[in-house]
Amino acid sequence: MGSERHVDSCEELFRACGMPLTIQRRIIFEELSQRSDHPTADQIFQSVQDRLPGLSRTTVYRVLEALVEAGLIQRICHPGATARYDANMNRHHHVVCLKCQRVIDLHSSELDALAVPKGLDGSFRVLDVSVHFRGLCAECQEKQDTANLA
Amino acid sequence: MGSERHVDSCEELFRACGMPLTIQRRIIFEELSQRSDHPTADQIFQSVQDRLPGLSRTTVYRVLEALVEAGLIQRICHPGATARYDANMNRHHHVVCLKCQRVIDLHSSELDALAVPKGLDGSFRVLDVSVHFRGLCAECQEKQDTANLA
DNA sequence: TTTGACAATGAATACCGTTCGCAATAAAGT
DNA sequence: ACTTTATTGCGAACGGTATTCATTGTCAAA
């Protein structure tokens, strides 16, 4: 199996950040890394419970917060009142459904090349740029249309 | 005073949406329209209390939700676990501080002209585009620097 | 202008997401 | 292995948001 390399890089990653690598942190980080659906803390908690019996919700929140602080993951920008996380730290863009609040990744080299407007870079230190397309996903369009018929 | 025109437009706006215009809705909407700091529901509640004695927090949440539904205001995309609102429905962009989560508006005709990538427009109905610059605001850079010295 | 249908408000309460304090536990370096 | 130090788990607390229901207010028709 080629998974040992991943394990190694996980340990190196944490060591480089100066944070102890616990089982909880490893599994939560690996789980988030394998997903691309920008889960909430609770969704992570659910899908990790079988691998971490007795895991506390509190720990999930604390681990995610610590990973954000360390720069290993990010909290994404989205409408709505629940924090969502993303382990993809490469530049990418987002498609946001205003109805169901789903967030879908979008890769585009054209958009990646966006220049930072002058005037901004003076006081503000830009670390990343992402383009948000907001609107209605296919499912929600359908729901809306059928609702209009009724 | 030229404020009567605004009052008129407010009434027309609500009528066009088919929603009764109450004092609460008018004042909450006007308050949000005059601000550009993307306040939370509670911040709106605070700054409107003197004009609306006996106002309930519940009403603020309901009014903001109704205004979003009607398309008169929008819930902005941001990191963090509290909903923030914006009455500026013109296309504009956002500068987000990852530390203090402040959101600043950015106007740029270059960015406004962004093309929607093909492939997206098939299933997803794009209603708006906005560019997010994420990083550290001047204040938070300062705090971080002084923290590093200690 | 009054009236009536209907929708919005306020108060209390319940709910969900998140954070805190503290005792028990586990990781990393010696 | 041992010690230091940080992390975990639990329970409770907290803040933001949604819900229920009686009361009040809006709008338009009479």
Side-chain angles (χ1 to χ4, degrees), chain B residues 9-81:
Chain B
S9 72
C10 197
E11 278 165 356
E12 283 167 22
L13 227 51
F14 277 76
R15 181 158 313 169
C17 297
M19 70 190 318
L21 176 55
T22 63
I23 311 105
Q24 290 86 344
R25 283 176 175 169
R26 164 177 283 155
I27 294 189
I28 289 172
F29 179 60
E30 286 178 352
E31 172 69 19
L32 187 61
S33 298
Q34 286 168 240
R35 298 175 65 148
S36 60
D37 61 339
H38 316 286
T40 65
D42 200 66
Q43 287 173 321
I44 290 285
F45 176 69
Q46 303 289 349
S47 53
V48 143
Q49 245 174 341
D50 51 340
R51 271 168 289 169
L52 290 172
L55 173 66
S56 164
R57 239 180 274 269
T58 309
T59 301
V60 178
Y61 286 107
R62 272 187 301 219
V63 166
L64 290 171
E65 173 63 22
L67 293 175
V68 170
E69 281 293 311
L72 294 179
I73 67 172
Q74 64 184 264
R75 219 193 262 250
I76 64 166
C77 290
H78 74 113

Side-chain angles (χ1 to χ4, degrees), chain A residues 40-55:
Chain A
T40 65
D42 200 67
Q43 288 174 320
I44 290 284
F45 175 69
Q46 303 289 349
S47 54
V48 141
Q49 244 175 340
D50 50 341
R51 271 169 288 169
L52 289 172
L55 174 66

Side-chain angles (χ1 to χ4, degrees), chain B residues 40-145:
Chain B
T40 65
D42 200 66
Q43 287 173 321
I44 290 285
F45 176 69
Q46 303 289 349
S47 53
V48 143
Q49 245 174 341
D50 51 340
R51 271 168 289 169
L52 290 172
L55 173 66
S56 164
R57 239 180 274 269
T58 309
T59 301
V60 178
Y61 286 107
R62 272 187 301 219
V63 166
L64 290 171
E65 173 63 22
L67 293 175
V68 170
E69 281 293 311
L72 294 179
I73 67 172
Q74 64 184 264
R75 219 193 262 250
I76 64 166
C77 290
H78 74 113
T82 314
R84 287 167 180 276
Y85 299 90
D86 190 352
N88 180 6
M89 298 298 279
N90 298 319
R91 177 159 303 177
H92 64 286
H93 311 282
H94 287 136
V95 182
V96 183
C97 178
L98 294 171
K99 259 285 192 288
C100 68
Q101 307 203 339
R102 192 188 322 221
V103 180
I104 304 155
D105 282 349
L106 176 69
H107 295 275
S108 160
S109 48
E110 298 169 40
L111 296 178
D112 292 351
L114 262 187
V116 177
K118 34 189 134 238
L120 223 196
D121 222 8
S123 52
F124 193 90
R125 183 181 304 164
V126 176
L127 298 177
D128 192 24
V129 185
S130 80
V131 182
H132 279 60
F133 294 91
R134 301 181 306 115
L136 295 174
C137 71
E139 278 184 40
C140 287
Q141 282 178 55
E142 218 170 291
K143 278 180 202 160
Q144 188 171 276
D145 292 345

Side-chain angles (χ1 to χ4, degrees), chain A residues 22 24-25 54-56 58-59 62:
Chain A
T22 64
Q24 291 86 346
R25 283 176 177 170
L55 174 66
S56 164
T58 310
T59 300
R62 272 187 300 217

